[in-house]
Amino acid sequence: MCDALQLPIVDLSSPDRFSTANSIRQACIDHGFFYLVNHGVDEELVNKVFEQGSKFFSLPIEEKMKVIIKNYSGYSPLYAGKLDTTLSTKGDSNEGFYVGQLAGDLNQWPLEGIGFAILEKHNRNLLSTTTLSTCLICFLRSAGTKLLFLIALSLKLDEDFFEKVGAFNEPLASLGLLHYPGDLDSSNEEIYGASDHSDFGMLTLLATDGVPGLQICREKSEQPQVWEDVPSMSGAFIVNIGDMMERWTNCLFRSRLHRVLPPRQEHYSVAFFLNPSKDCNVECLESCCSEDCPPRFPPIKALDYLEERLRLTYGL
């Protein structure tokens, strides 16, 4: 049995921004994960995305395959991806549906009335009606942007640092709806819902349906590795630092290994990946390097980095 980990809680509505920034700094150094509360994302909207995701994943496989993933958008079948590429097992036991700015104007959608409804109620601040998933992206992007202002403060930078370097010009935000079907495989092969990995990008915000399974490893170089259960918290997103942010901070903020255990019970999650604009230059922050601690990584364009990581994992 793994111990349950009590992650730090960050309140996005707190008026004390410097105290909140300090809490974020400590969370990103110690855990790489934290709970985000009072984030401004409508819980009803999140629940409706879960409902529509469930409807889509319940479709016959031939229907889902009509929107097979292309250009980072569409349906990813069961066992199609393997996040830990060192494993000799078949792919991870989850299926997903992905939309977002990485696909540009090439997002794929299921047929009208199958899986993703149009919701006008949540169309505030948008120019026209839109799909539930795209609408959720807008609200999560707003929450993620507010969080990045606080992260800049936590790194002893100007609050608008990420804005000034162009990270927000056209951020590469994407949404993944994930379905873990439960105990499918009767063989002796242990297949994780999501095998050991760290996220590629800047920030990830995760909503779950409350079914346990997520674990993190805070010290990936230690042997044997110690894995800790991450319980869900009602109304909160689980936020984690990705490899790109680790690279930006010269490994001050750590992108931790995490995984989803072999699913014994069907469950769903929604993952929002917030990344900078494609031409944003990711290089060591001045506040994170010194003569004694020089930059560990060369500069790289955000899109070049993400595409290489996606290619290695999914063959995209």
Side-chain angles (χ1 to χ4, degrees):
M1 287 288 291
C2 294
D3 293 330
L5 180 64
Q6 296 303 313
L7 294 175
I9 300 172
V10 171
D11 185 347
L12 198 56
S13 68
S14 172
D16 191 342
R17 297 179 64 74
F18 287 98
S19 176
T20 303
N22 287 333
S23 297
I24 290 172
R25 181 183 179 90
Q26 203 59 49
C28 293
I29 291 172
D30 293 344
H31 298 85
F33 278 73
F34 54 87
Y35 296 114
L36 186 68
V37 300
N38 295 322
H39 40 66
V41 180
D42 192 328
E43 189 170 359
E44 182 186 355
L45 174 59
V46 177
N47 291 337
K48 285 186 177 295
V49 169
F50 272 113
E51 291 172 12
Q52 297 296 331
S54 175
K55 290 179 182 178
F56 171 74
F57 291 121
S58 67
L59 293 171
I61 185 63
E62 56 269 20
E63 289 294 329
K64 292 182 285 189
M65 292 298 287
K66 290 178 181 178
V67 287
I68 189 69
I69 193 165
K70 298 174 185 175
N71 299 304
Y72 315 113
S73 169
Y75 174 63
S76 178
L78 196 64
Y79 308 125
K82 184 163 58 176
L83 291 167
D84 183 352
T85 55
T86 66
L87 293 177
S88 59
T89 58
K90 59 185 177 181
D92 297 341
S93 56
N94 71 70
E95 55 181 344
F97 185 84
Y98 298 89
V99 294
Q101 277 83 1
L102 262 178
D105 295 326
L106 303 175
N107 278 307
Q108 299 188 84
W109 299 103
L111 295 175
E112 186 175 352
I114 307 180
F116 295 91
I118 300 297
L119 187 68
E120 297 185 24
K121 176 182 176 183
H122 293 282
N123 200 34
R124 325 175 193 110
N125 304 322
L126 300 181
L127 296 177
S128 60
T129 56
T130 186
T131 65
L132 282 170
S133 297
T134 305
C135 190
L136 182 58
I137 286 175
C138 293
F139 282 91
L140 284 166
R141 194 169 88 174
S142 175
T145 300
K146 293 175 185 175
L147 186 54
L148 283 168
F149 277 94
L150 290 167
I151 286 175
L153 284 179
S154 81
L155 292 165
K156 317 302 182 188
L157 302 168
D158 291 339
E159 189 174 13
D160 60 351
F161 170 82
F162 291 107
E163 184 176 36
K164 287 191 293 189
V165 298
F168 300 156
N169 290 349
E170 293 183 14
L172 299 174
S174 60
L175 191 76
L177 311 180
L178 299 167
H179 174 222
Y180 302 89
D183 196 357
L184 295 174
D185 199 331
S186 59
S187 71
N188 293 324
E189 188 178 40
E190 187 173 48
I191 301 175
Y192 283 87
S195 50
D196 305 2
H197 67 287
S198 55
D199 289 352
F200 310 151
M202 188 161 57
L203 284 179
T204 303
L205 286 76
L206 179 75
T208 77
D209 62 1
V211 176
L214 177 64
Q215 294 184 325
I216 72 170
C217 173
R218 285 188 273 175
E219 297 298 336
K220 55 189 173 187
S221 60
E222 286 188 1
Q223 296 296 331
Q225 290 177 335
V226 176
W227 290 90
E228 298 171 284
D229 292 322
V230 179
S232 62
M233 176 182 288
S234 179
F237 286 105
I238 300 171
V239 178
N240 67 279
I241 294 299
D243 298 342
M244 188 182 292
M245 184 63 79
E246 179 178 278
R247 186 182 182 114
W248 233 327
T249 65
N250 211 27
C251 297
L252 174 66
F253 288 0
R254 304 307 300 267
S255 176
R256 307 294 185 180
L257 278 181
H258 52 286
R259 66 188 184 188
V260 178
L261 292 173
R264 302 290 178 240
Q265 177 183 351
E266 182 181 36
H267 60 106
Y268 298 85
S269 64
V270 177
F272 175 71
F273 306 100
L274 181 59
N275 299 300
S277 304
K278 63 180 181 180
D279 292 326
C280 184
N281 203 36
V282 179
E283 60 181 323
C284 181
L285 302 170
E286 288 186 9
S287 64
C288 297
C289 63
S290 64
E291 187 175 334
D292 295 329
C293 184
R296 302 186 187 196
F297 310 100
I300 190 171
K301 296 292 185 185
L303 185 60
D304 292 341
Y305 179 76
L306 290 171
E307 287 188 330
E308 176 62 11
R309 294 295 302 273
L310 287 164
R311 183 189 66 78
L312 290 172
T313 302
Y314 297 103
L316 297 175

